[in-house]
Structures are given as C-alpha cells and as structure tokens.
Amino acid sequence: MTSEITTFDPAAALLREKLAQKWRSNSPVLVMEDAPESTLASTIILAKRYGGTGTSTLALVLEFLMRQEALIIEVGGNRCPMFRGRGDDLHAHFPMSDGNRINEAMDLRLAHPGRVAILEFEPALYTETLRIAKNMISLDAGLVPTIFYVSARHEADPLYAKNALASKIDQTFICQEAVQNPAAQGADKLVLPWLDRSIMEILWAGAGDLQTALEQCRGSWTLQETRLNLEQFYTTLMADR
C-alpha cells in the first residue's frame, strides 16, 4: 500500500551522515578564558538558588561544546541520574549529608589541575559559590573561575549578579532555564539550549554525556534542530563575554 512507510531508507542514512560531517567541520569549540599564568585548567562553577533549573544538563552541554571530557563534581544534593554512565574518573558526588562536602570537592578539583572541572552546587550552597570563586582567584595558580548562575523563571533580577560584580568575579553568566522558543520570552538572560524530549530521555537514562545522547537520537530533524540550538547558545555566550 502507498500509505506504508519503510522502516529504513539508505538515502536517509546518507543524509544523516552528511549533516553530521557538516556539523563536525563547522561546529564551535568553547574555550574558557583562563589567566596565562594559571597552572589549573578551566574551572566552571554552576550555581542555582532553586531546584529543577537544568544545571546538570548545562554541565553536559558545556562539556560537549568544549570538545573534551570534563571532571564533573556534584557538591551536595542527590546524584543526578544523567551521570550514571560516567566512570569514576569523570564524575564524583559529595552528598548533602557530608558536612565536609565543599572541602572534599575542592580538594578533588585541585588534585587534578590539568583537567577541566565543572562543579555543580546544590541550591543550599548558592551563596557559598561566590566565596569559593573569590578564594580560587586568590590562589597562586592565578585561576579565573567561570560561574553560570541558573535562575528560576520567577527570578526577574537575581541579586547574584550584583554580588558577583561586587566580588570582582568578572566571568559570571546569569542564565535562564531552557524554553522551547526563547525569542518569544524576550529574556535578557543567557537562555540555556532547548534539548528535545527524546534526547533528554536518553540523558536521564544515564547516557553520561551529550555526544552519546545525540548519536542515539533517531530523528535527523530533531538532531539538526538541537545542533542549531547549541550553536545559538554558544553564539550568545560568546557575545556576552
């Protein structure tokens, strides 16, 4: 019957590969601005005052855009299922029940100075992140940490931005959780890239990294739209630096 759709078309596989090659050759590479004298690789701090804002997804997005494996450290909170597929060399979690979780997390970060590290802090520690960043700047390594504060939708003008400025933490980005149509929101914040539900389901199943989730995405249109969203996020991020 003419209404029947074949489950496999070799031409579709060829098109998918051509789109993948185009992305690989033209996709942006995110490079953080570190002090020339720094002996520590880039350190990124993810902070939020409220839960459910997408910081774990942001960690995987940043790792993907940097095109290198990062050491992701969860400080407090519950372990995110997205990181189940990461080995011990790529992930660590210090639970909220650990009263020494901040020091242990920072000790782990400094124990691997040559690796990019992304530290995701639980909401209860959001004010602590500015103190930690300020102390990191004072290290002899000359490290300049980058902070991404992800605000909830009801946070119109979070004080975090003013406090970061007062603390002279220049590389601070105030973000808004992902929305499917950011242009319609008129947001003046850095909007996190929207990832299709099919991709998020793969991540929540424990894919471990965004590259794996994209490779497992079956829809070529969905995959291409996601790439465009990631590219737009990168472009906006670079414009805000």
Side-chain angles (χ1 to χ4, degrees):
M1 295 177 61
T2 57
S3 61
E4 292 181 350
I5 301 176
T6 58
T7 57
F8 175 75
D9 184 343
L14 179 61
L15 173 61
R16 183 183 178 95
E17 179 55 30
K18 288 181 66 176
L19 291 173
Q21 289 178 359
K22 182 179 179 181
W23 165 261
R24 286 193 294 266
S25 61
N26 299 321
S27 60
V29 180
L30 179 60
V31 178
M32 293 299 176
E33 295 181 3
D34 296 323
E37 68 275 14
S38 177
T39 56
L40 282 171
S42 298
T43 299
I44 300 170
I45 293 174
L46 307 183
K48 59 184 177 183
R49 186 176 181 180
Y50 303 96
T53 55
T55 48
S56 295
T57 307
L58 176 58
L60 296 178
V61 166
L62 293 172
E63 177 189 52
F64 175 80
L65 290 176
M66 288 188 287
R67 290 199 198 178
Q68 58 179 299
E69 291 182 328
L71 173 59
I72 298 178
I73 305 173
E74 293 182 275
V75 190
N78 298 316
R79 176 169 179 162
C80 180
M82 289 187 186
F83 302 136
R84 276 202 306 265
R86 300 181 73 86
D88 293 340
D89 60 327
L90 295 176
H91 174 265
H93 174 229
F94 298 95
M96 60 188 307
S97 59
D98 184 350
N100 200 35
R101 58 193 181 280
I102 293 178
N103 286 349
E104 291 177 355
M106 297 308 299
D107 282 343
L108 177 61
R109 193 282 161 272
L110 296 182
H112 301 277
R115 300 183 58 187
V116 171
I118 303 174
L119 294 96
E120 178 185 352
F121 288 82
E122 64 174 312
L125 299 176
Y126 85 99
T127 57
E128 284 290 296
T129 56
L130 290 175
R131 179 188 64 82
I132 293 168
K134 191 172 182 179
N135 288 346
M136 291 191 77
I137 292 174
S138 67
L139 292 175
D140 290 338
L143 177 71
V144 181
T146 301
I147 298 179
F148 290 85
Y149 177 82
V150 184
S151 59
R153 295 187 185 183
H154 67 274
E155 288 185 273
D157 186 21
L159 290 175
Y160 194 95
K162 298 176 182 177
N163 293 335
L165 183 63
S167 298
K168 298 182 179 180
I169 305 171
D170 298 328
Q171 292 195 113
T172 300
F173 298 93
I174 305 302
C175 308
Q176 175 183 306
E177 55 188 317
V179 289
Q180 193 162 8
N181 185 9
Q185 301 297 314
D188 57 355
K189 304 181 183 71
L190 177 64
V191 182
L192 302 188
W194 177 265
L195 303 182
D196 187 79
R197 181 176 64 181
S198 61
I199 295 174
M200 291 301 299
E201 287 175 350
I202 296 172
L203 288 176
W204 281 110
D209 61 80
L210 184 54
Q211 179 63 37
T212 298
L214 294 181
E215 291 172 352
Q216 294 180 11
C217 176
R218 299 179 62 183
S220 294
W221 177 268
T222 298
L223 184 57
Q224 193 65 9
E225 287 286 283
T226 302
R227 288 169 175 156
L228 292 175
N229 291 342
L230 291 167
E231 187 174 348
Q232 179 58 48
F233 173 74
Y234 168 86
T235 301
T236 306
L237 173 59
M238 291 297 98
D240 289 347
R241 296 180 75 164

